[in-house]
Amino acid sequence: MAKKQTKKVEVEEPYVEETVVVETPKTEQKPQLVVEKELPKKNTWEIKDRVYLLKGRDKPLSRSIKAANVYYFDEEKGYERELKYCSNQRTPFVDEMTGDQRLEHIVFRSGTLFVPKEKTVLQKLLSLYHPHNGNIFYEHKPAEIASHQIDILEMEVDALVAATNLDIDMAEAVMRVEVGSEVSNMSSKELKRDLLLYAKKNPQLFLELVNDENVVLRNFGIKATEMGIIKLSSDQRTFSWGSNDRKLMTVPFDEHPYSALAAWFKTDEGMDIYSNIEKRLN
C-alpha cells in the first residue's frame, strides 16, 4: 500500500510597513496683546453760517462788543488765556498767534450780527470763548428753539388729553386749586370748559396737579369743611368736628392747613376719620 507524501507549503506573510509616530512637544502659544489705538477725536464744530443777537429789548443801530482784553479760563491748561479777534490770525488765543496782529471790531447792527461760515475764528470766539456770550449777546439757534417749542406743544397735548379723561371728582379737585371755593357753584359743563382752558394755559402745572395724590385729599377736606362736617379754627391751626367741636388734629407750624389735613388722612387715625366723613358726604 503506497504511502502519501505531504509537502509543507510555506506561506509568506504579507509585509506590513511599520509607521513610527513621533510626538512633537506642544509649545504653548502666548496670547497676543492687542493694543487698540485711540482714534483721534473728530472736530465737532459744525461749519455753517451763524447769527448772533443782542439780549434785551433795546436794539441800537450799532453796538460794539470787546474784541480784545478779554479772557477765557482754559480748564485743561489751568489758567486764563487772553482772547483777541484778529483778521489775519487762525486762532482767537493770543498765545497761539504768530506775526502781526490786525485787530478787528465786532459790531452788531440793529441788534444782529451775521457771521458767515468762512469766519470760523470769529464764530468760535463768540460761541465758545467770549465772556459776554449769554449776558450781552447769544447765538440764535433755530433748531433748539423748535425743539423747545415741540416739547411745550407735546406737554400741552398731554395735558388736554388728561383733562378730557378726568372724572368729575378729580376735575373739581384740580380746579379748586385754581379758582378756590367757586368750583362748588359750577355746573359740570362749566367745570369741564375751565378745566380744558386751564390745561392749555398751564400744562406743566396741570399735569403736576393731576399726578399729585394729595390734590384729591385736599379737595375732600375742603368740601367737608364747606359742608360743616369738620371746621377749621380761625387761627388756621386746628381741625375739629363741626357737630361737637372735638379736636381732630393740629396743623404743624408753617404748613398749609389743608395740605397738612391731606397728609393726616393717610395716617391710621386719619383713615378712620376719612371713612367717617366719606359716609356723611355721600
Side-chain angles (χ1 to χ4, degrees):
M1 186 174 180
K3 292 183 179 180
K4 291 184 180 180
Q5 293 181 353
T6 58
K7 294 183 179 181
K8 291 182 180 181
V9 180
E10 294 181 358
V11 180
E12 294 182 358
E13 295 181 358
Y15 174 74
V16 179
E17 183 177 358
E18 294 183 0
T19 56
V20 179
V21 179
V22 180
E23 293 185 359
T24 57
K26 294 182 180 180
T27 58
E28 294 183 359
Q29 295 182 351
K30 295 182 179 180
Q32 295 181 350
L33 181 61
V34 179
V35 180
E36 295 183 358
K37 293 183 178 180
E38 185 177 355
L39 297 176
K41 295 182 179 179
K42 295 182 178 179
N43 188 2
T44 57
W45 179 260
E46 183 180 358
I47 298 177
K48 64 177 183 179
D49 298 335
R50 298 175 188 269
V51 177
Y52 301 88
L53 304 174
L54 290 178
K55 298 190 72 175
R57 295 182 179 180
D58 297 333
K59 308 296 181 185
L61 294 177
S62 177
R63 169 71 187 273
S64 298
I65 64 170
K66 281 190 173 184
N69 295 323
V70 289
Y71 295 85
Y72 168 76
F73 180 75
D74 193 325
E75 293 185 357
E76 293 183 359
K77 296 183 180 295
Y79 57 84
E80 284 188 328
R81 303 176 69 186
E82 185 179 359
L83 300 168
K84 186 184 293 186
Y85 176 51
C86 299
S87 59
N88 65 329
Q89 298 290 337
R90 296 182 178 180
T91 176
F93 293 106
V94 174
D95 55 14
E96 294 179 352
M97 294 182 180
T98 57
D100 296 334
Q101 300 174 3
R102 301 175 194 169
L103 185 65
E104 288 283 337
H105 296 289
I106 305 175
V107 183
F108 286 76
R109 306 290 182 184
S110 299
T112 304
L113 173 61
F114 173 78
V115 183
K117 61 184 179 182
E118 292 80 12
K119 294 188 176 182
T120 306
V121 175
L122 178 56
Q123 287 186 356
K124 288 186 176 182
L125 172 62
L126 294 173
S127 296
L128 303 179
Y129 309 123
H130 204 288
H132 293 162
N133 182 15
N135 297 322
I136 296 178
F137 69 91
Y138 64 95
E139 181 181 349
H140 178 61
K141 299 179 179 179
E144 290 187 8
I145 294 174
S147 177
H148 179 65
Q149 290 173 339
I150 288 173
D151 292 340
I152 294 176
L153 290 172
E154 288 179 345
M155 184 183 297
E156 185 177 315
V157 171
D158 292 341
L160 289 171
V161 170
T164 303
N165 296 328
L166 278 187
D167 58 49
I168 191 69
D169 291 334
M170 188 63 182
E172 181 182 325
V174 172
M175 286 308 301
R176 191 177 293 276
V177 176
E178 177 68 7
V179 300
S181 59
E182 293 179 10
V183 72
S184 301
N185 301 322
M186 288 183 177
S187 65
S188 58
K189 293 293 184 182
E190 290 174 328
L191 181 61
K192 197 71 173 179
R193 177 202 62 197
D194 289 358
L195 187 71
L196 290 169
L197 291 174
Y198 181 54
K200 184 177 181 180
K201 182 180 178 181
N202 298 301
Q204 183 175 359
L205 178 58
F206 177 84
L207 291 173
E208 289 176 358
L209 290 174
V210 169
N211 294 320
D212 183 2
E213 59 181 7
N214 286 336
V215 169
V216 176
L217 293 176
R218 281 199 298 267
N219 183 59
F220 180 85
I222 293 171
K223 286 176 66 176
T225 304
E226 289 177 348
M227 294 182 66
I229 299 174
I230 60 175
K231 63 182 181 180
L232 177 63
S233 62
S234 58
D235 61 358
Q236 307 281 299
R237 295 284 295 161
T238 305
F239 280 99
S240 58
W241 283 114
S243 57
N244 55 16
D245 291 333
R246 185 167 64 86
K247 180 181 174 181
L248 294 176
M249 68 158 292
T250 300
V251 178
F253 180 74
D254 207 21
E255 279 195 28
H256 190 280
Y258 288 103
S259 296
L261 180 62
W264 182 73
F265 278 144
K266 296 179 182 179
T267 64
D268 293 338
E269 182 183 2
M271 289 178 67
D272 294 335
I273 301 299
Y274 179 90
S275 300
N276 192 327
I277 296 173
E278 188 176 28
K279 293 176 181 178
R280 301 189 187 192
L281 286 176
N282 296 331

